[in-house]
């Protein structure tokens, strides 16, 4: 089945085959060589001098890591939909005070809002979602990064779960302390692992914090990775898959990869504008998924039933309270422009557009 939902995403057979290899002893030289290679390739693909780590968890685990290691007491949570809201909740569940900026679904969290909130509130870190998957909004992170420059003690923690490797994110230039992503989104790998960058400032902050826990202790990630090791038995199938996918990404070229995502997005957006309407605020539409307003009241579950029966694929209904009011089509990972055109043609035939 081909999943056009914004995670998990359809994966190439070659990626699945990599994951079917025999396990390695995770303290063996063979594993260390594989893992150090993967970490190097991640740095190259993400174009960063920061360390990059792999977590045997989904992206939400790294939400928890970021908060526990980088915030002593209080965070500013920038919320524009279900996923960014949830990160604020996770901070609260981990005992942090949470100051929230909340905008309506479909809107972006702008730099002036962040500047205003930082003027009024003393916080240890800002939680910012690069690409809000529930509304298809890409937030203006470069402008927010400018604001962050005036607050060198406030760490910049970024959820790039559904954008990393699909939409360019210049971690070093933007001064991002932690950027995190799940592999089942733009990486084009089955779910079960997450990837994150960590800046020297993030490590320094973690050193000040005693209560970092065990599984998501940032300093344990650092000391183990330096030896090509992991704290616990890692998700080896995903590390094989990352190794394979990163080679493919670097062969494609990251600039080409970002431009392919943009091209796919343009095809889907043009179609959505013509037949429905775009849900995100103009100028903030995501290049990894399109969220359309369901102006025709198309029955999305009926549409999916037919897509599944006739073409072995599905798209995504709106998320949470946006169910029925919007629908989402993912265009990320290893999908091609031709896949998107084919999908849209099938939808046209079923809906009668
Ligand atoms: C999918 C997603 C998450 C949650 O990731 P999991 O891997 O399910 O933990 C968080 N944030 C965003 C923006 C997402 O798209």
């Amino acid at each position: 089945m081909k999943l056009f939902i914004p995670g998990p995403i359809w994966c190439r057979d070659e990626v699945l085959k990599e994951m079917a290899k025999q396990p390695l002893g995770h303290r063996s030289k063979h594993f260390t060589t594989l893992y150090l290679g993967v970490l190097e390739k991640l740095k190259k693909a993400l174009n960063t001098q920061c360390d990059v780590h792999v977590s045997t968890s989904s992206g939400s685990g790294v939400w928890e890591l970021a908060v526990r290691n980088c915030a002593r007491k209080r965070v500013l949570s920038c919320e524009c939909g279900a996923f960014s809201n949830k990160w604020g909740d996770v901070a609260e569940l981990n005992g942090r005070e949470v100051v929230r900026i909340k905008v309506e679904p479909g809107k972006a969290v702008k730099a002036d809002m962040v500047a205003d909130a930082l003027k009024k509130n003393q916080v240890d870190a800002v939680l910012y979602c690069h690409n809000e998957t529930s509304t298809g909004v890409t937030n203006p992170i470069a402008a927010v990064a400018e604001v962050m420059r005036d607050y060198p003690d406030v760490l910049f923690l970024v959820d790039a779960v559904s954008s990393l490797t699909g939409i360019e994110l210049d971690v070093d230039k933007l001064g991002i302390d932690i950027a995190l992503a799940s592999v089942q989104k733009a990486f084009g790998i089955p779910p079960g692992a997450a990837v994150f960058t960590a800046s020297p400032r993030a490590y320094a902050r973690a050193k000040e914090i005693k209560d970092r826990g065990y599984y998501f202790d940032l300093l344990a990630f650092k000391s183990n990775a330096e030896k090509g090791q992991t704290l616990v038995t890692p998700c080896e199938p995903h590390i094989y898959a990352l190794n394979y996918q990163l080679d493919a990404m670097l062969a494609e070229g990251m600039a080409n990869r970002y431009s392919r995502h943009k091209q796919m997005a343009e095809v889907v957006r043009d179609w959505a504008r013509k037949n429905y309407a775009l849900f995100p605020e103009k100028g903030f539409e995501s290049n990894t998924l399109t969220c359309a307003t369901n102006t025709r009241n198309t029955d999305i579950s009926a549409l999916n039933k037919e897509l599944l029966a006739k073409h072995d694929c599905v798209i995504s209904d709106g998320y949470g309270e946006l169910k029925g009011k919007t629908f989402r089509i993912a265009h990320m990972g290893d999908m091609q422009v031709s896949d998107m055109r084919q999908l849209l043609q099938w939808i046209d035939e079923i809906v009668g557009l």
Side-chain angles (χ1 to χ4, degrees):
M1 179 170 44
K2 207 153 187 174
L3 287 178
F4 288 95
I5 66 174
I9 201 79
W10 166 80
C11 300
R12 290 188 295 147
D13 287 342
E14 290 84 349
V15 175
L16 305 182
K17 259 185 224 138
E18 285 295 312
M19 298 184 78
K21 287 180 172 171
Q22 284 288 345
L24 294 170
H26 63 294
R27 303 300 178 207
S28 69
K29 191 153 188 308
H30 193 155
F31 175 80
T32 297
T33 308
L34 170 72
Y35 194 51
L36 287 174
V38 165
L39 299 182
E40 261 322 293
K41 287 174 202 174
L42 277 167
K43 284 179 75 155
K44 214 186 249 178
L46 303 181
N47 188 30
T48 180
Q49 299 301 312
C50 284
D51 287 345
V52 187
H53 298 290
V54 179
S55 173
T56 298
S57 70
S58 80
S60 305
V62 188
W63 272 350
E64 199 150 281
L65 175 148
V67 167
R68 290 198 64 154
N69 289 270
C70 298
R72 290 168 289 229
K73 187 159 179 265
R74 191 180 301 120
V75 298
L76 173 65
S77 174
C78 304
E79 306 181 357
C80 59
F83 290 104
S84 43
N85 293 359
K86 183 71 80 175
W87 197 5
D89 296 346
V90 167
E92 224 163 67
L93 289 166
N94 279 280
R96 283 8 177 220
E97 291 170 26
V98 181
V99 179
R100 295 174 192 258
I101 299 175
K102 260 189 201 295
V103 299
E104 266 173 59
K107 298 273 189 285
V109 181
K110 310 276 169 50
D112 60 337
M113 301 174 193
V114 177
D116 191 48
L118 286 176
K119 239 177 254 158
K120 292 180 184 148
N121 301 282
Q122 204 182 355
V123 298
D124 301 317
V126 169
L127 315 183
Y128 197 73
C129 185
H130 183 213
N131 195 65
E132 173 54 67
T133 318
S134 69
T135 60
V137 164
T138 299
N139 280 301
I141 196 163
V144 171
E146 283 303 312
V147 172
M148 296 298 298
R149 280 186 212 293
D150 294 336
Y151 298 89
D153 295 332
V154 180
L155 297 203
F156 195 16
L157 310 179
V158 175
D159 174 333
V161 171
S162 60
S163 56
L164 212 61
T165 76
I167 303 171
E168 189 168 14
L169 186 66
D170 196 333
V171 169
D172 296 359
K173 203 172 119 209
L174 301 180
I176 295 171
D177 293 295
I178 289 191
L180 64 108
S182 307
V183 297
Q184 76 274 17
K185 311 267 167 108
F187 280 81
I189 294 173
V195 159
F196 65 97
T197 66
S199 74
R201 284 202 310 179
Y203 293 136
R205 175 66 56 83
K207 274 192 196 130
E208 292 172 27
I209 295 176
K210 294 230 154 49
D211 177 23
R212 299 188 302 272
Y214 173 69
Y215 200 79
F216 291 118
D217 176 3
L218 179 59
L219 299 181
F221 272 89
K222 181 174 192 291
S223 59
N224 280 290
E226 280 163 0
K227 299 173 289 188
Q229 286 285 292
T230 52
L231 177 67
V232 293
T233 319
C235 45
E236 292 179 347
H238 290 88
I239 293 168
Y240 278 128
L242 272 168
N243 190 44
Y244 183 84
Q245 273 299 59
L246 287 162
D247 281 342
M249 285 185 206
L250 293 167
E252 179 181 15
M254 294 311 288
N256 293 333
R257 187 176 174 86
Y258 298 132
S259 125
R260 174 167 57 79
H261 279 78
K262 182 160 176 278
Q263 285 166 35
M264 292 191 292
E266 279 166 358
V267 167
V268 179
R269 281 200 287 269
D270 284 348
W271 172 89
R273 266 192 216 100
K274 185 171 146 229
N275 298 295
Y276 293 90
L278 294 177
F279 185 67
E281 177 178 359
K282 198 166 188 307
F284 299 93
E285 301 91 350
S286 168
N287 279 349
T288 53
L289 78 144
T290 293
C291 183
T293 308
N294 190 3
T295 50
R296 292 171 181 264
N297 284 320
T298 300
D299 182 338
I300 303 301
S301 64
L303 166 62
N304 265 338
K305 255 187 213 146
E306 288 207 48
L307 278 173
L308 190 59
K310 292 182 176 151
H311 307 294
D312 202 28
C313 70
V314 287
I315 63 164
S316 185
D317 208 326
Y319 192 98
E321 59 187 28
L322 295 172
K323 192 166 187 241
K325 295 182 189 140
T326 64
F327 62 90
R328 296 169 301 156
I329 297 175
H331 26 80
M332 58 172 97
D334 288 321
M335 291 171 179
Q336 304 295 326
V337 173
S338 56
D339 296 316
M340 303 322 299
R341 290 196 203 282
Q342 176 68 85
L343 170 70
L344 298 175
Q345 191 198 324
W346 289 334
I347 298 177
D348 286 351
E349 285 163 12
I350 292 168
V351 178
L353 298 176

